[in-house]
Amino acid sequence: MSHYMQFGVMSVSDVTRDPTTGKTPTEHERIKAEIAIAKKAEEIGLDVYAIGEHHNPPFMSSSPTTILGYIAAQTQHIILSTSTTLITTNDPVRLAEEYSMLQHVADGRVDIMLGRGNTGPVYPWFGKDIRQGIPLAIENYALLRRLWREDVVDWEGNFRTPLRGFTSTPRPLDGVAPFVWHGSIRSPEIAEQAAYYGDGFFHNNIFWPPSHVRRMVALYRQRFEHYGHGPARKAIVGLGGQFYMAKDSQTAKREFRPYFDNAPVYGHGPSLEEFSSMTPLTVGSPQEVVDRTLGFREYVGDYQRQMFLIDHAGLPLSTVLRQMDYLGEILPTLRAEFDAMRDPEAPEAPTHESLVAALGGSHDSTVYGEGDAVTGVNSPAFNERSSEAEYVQAADELLQEAGEWAH
């Protein structure tokens, strides 16, 4: 069953010591835990499971398509995604091939979130220069789109060898590439990139206050409309979030505090209470999580995907699964409340089926640059821009205007 708004869980795949027991899981245990979490996500009625990509300890998810392919065989309905695929250090040819293959294996239940990641040393490990992060993201994605949308590609750029008469195989399922989300926490250039192509924009919404999230999403919506993909309200937005639930707030804080205080990402900094007041982290009762999550709409408008960071900071699998049971209990309420508030003209969350339908059910390969499958709009503003480099200049100008909030 498809929903206008998708709910899911995402993992950063960290292998972290449990501060309450002193036990550190093995990589094997964490990999198997991810499979259990994905199956649980489908069991409780979630729409999406996503895992990140890392190439260094303490993370274990170096090959998202491998684990997602296995999960595809263990599930029936849930969409399989990434919570970051590194567009900067991966070869676009390999990305095109691997995610098309995953599409076929999963019968279309696949999309992808592109990002630059949060680990600087990964660049030289793969022969790249971190100072070229934004240009790499722009050029690599421009090539990836062409590989998915053109049967035969001639291409030349700055960061890899040229292609002559190249065909990426397998071709995307039903001639429709996986839907792309561009993930960013603080880079207006990535919001600009998502808007330029009419793709989805995912704001992590974990470490920053609502004022920052509001600005980033508003920028994306404004530029989405500027590039001719339709009104700003038609832009496709996703948000992250995180919670820890118990029967009451006091119990939740008592249970989660040792994990928060020792977490690699935010431990030894602001207190749990301070961090919760400044960011979307919600530690409390199920009703408190419902109320806080519904409040996200107040500063981004109607949006299409809500993902929760579910397993991190050393939380054992048994605790994660219990948290997912709580999520399953409040999921009908979240769906009903968001549905009740929704603007009838807000777009539904994209799926493989909706993208195929937007193309009139055609199974022929799509043609690069002739429009976008989400809105069905042929965009004069989009088509007239002959070079992806042009929107880099626009993004740089926006960065200057945005000021310190973007850094």
Side-chain angles (χ1 to χ4, degrees), residues 212-351:
H212 173 80
V213 180
R214 184 197 307 270
R215 288 174 180 146
M216 286 288 282
V217 173
L219 169 62
Y220 160 66
R221 290 187 184 278
Q222 172 196 346
R223 302 301 286 177
F224 180 96
E225 182 169 316
H226 167 79
Y227 287 120
H229 298 294
R233 67 178 182 276
K234 295 287 189 180
I236 307 297
V237 175
L239 293 182
Q242 55 183 329
F243 63 77
Y244 186 92
M245 282 186 266
K247 61 181 180 179
D248 56 62
S249 179
Q250 292 76 18
T251 302
K253 290 177 180 176
R254 185 181 69 251
E255 291 178 356
F256 188 62
R257 192 179 303 277
Y259 296 97
F260 177 90
D261 288 347
N262 292 278
V265 290
Y266 41 49
H268 314 290
S271 69
L272 173 60
E273 286 76 12
E274 290 169 335
F275 195 85
S276 297
S277 69
M278 294 184 294
T279 76
L281 172 64
T282 309
V283 181
S285 68
Q287 187 59 51
E288 287 175 299
V289 173
V290 168
D291 293 342
R292 193 79 180 278
T293 305
L294 292 174
F296 297 165
R297 183 181 176 275
E298 295 176 7
Y299 51 90
V300 302
D302 286 311
Y303 62 109
Q304 285 66 42
R305 178 172 287 186
Q306 174 64 56
M307 301 292 289
F308 294 105
L309 177 61
I310 195 69
D311 66 322
H312 65 119
L315 289 168
L317 177 60
S318 59
T319 300
V320 173
L321 296 179
R322 187 169 72 247
Q323 289 296 301
M324 294 181 72
D325 282 330
Y326 278 122
L327 180 56
E329 291 172 8
I330 66 173
L331 187 59
T333 300
L334 287 172
R335 291 199 193 281
E337 292 292 333
F338 273 110
D339 278 349
M341 295 187 293
R342 177 197 177 204
D343 181 339
E345 295 188 8
E348 295 186 0
T351 63

Side-chain angles (χ1 to χ4, degrees), residues 78-97:
I78 198 162
I79 295 170
L80 306 174
S81 187
T82 53
S83 49
T84 299
T85 293
L86 301 179
I87 187 61
T88 46
T89 51
N90 279 300
D91 182 356
V93 173
R94 288 300 294 147
L95 290 180
E97 294 175 339

Side-chain angles (χ1 to χ4, degrees), residues 118-139:
N118 61 2
T119 308
V122 74
Y123 285 82
W125 294 340
F126 287 86
K128 307 298 181 184
D129 183 344
I130 191 172
R131 294 169 296 183
Q132 299 297 318
I134 293 290
L136 277 164
I138 290 166
E139 180 175 299

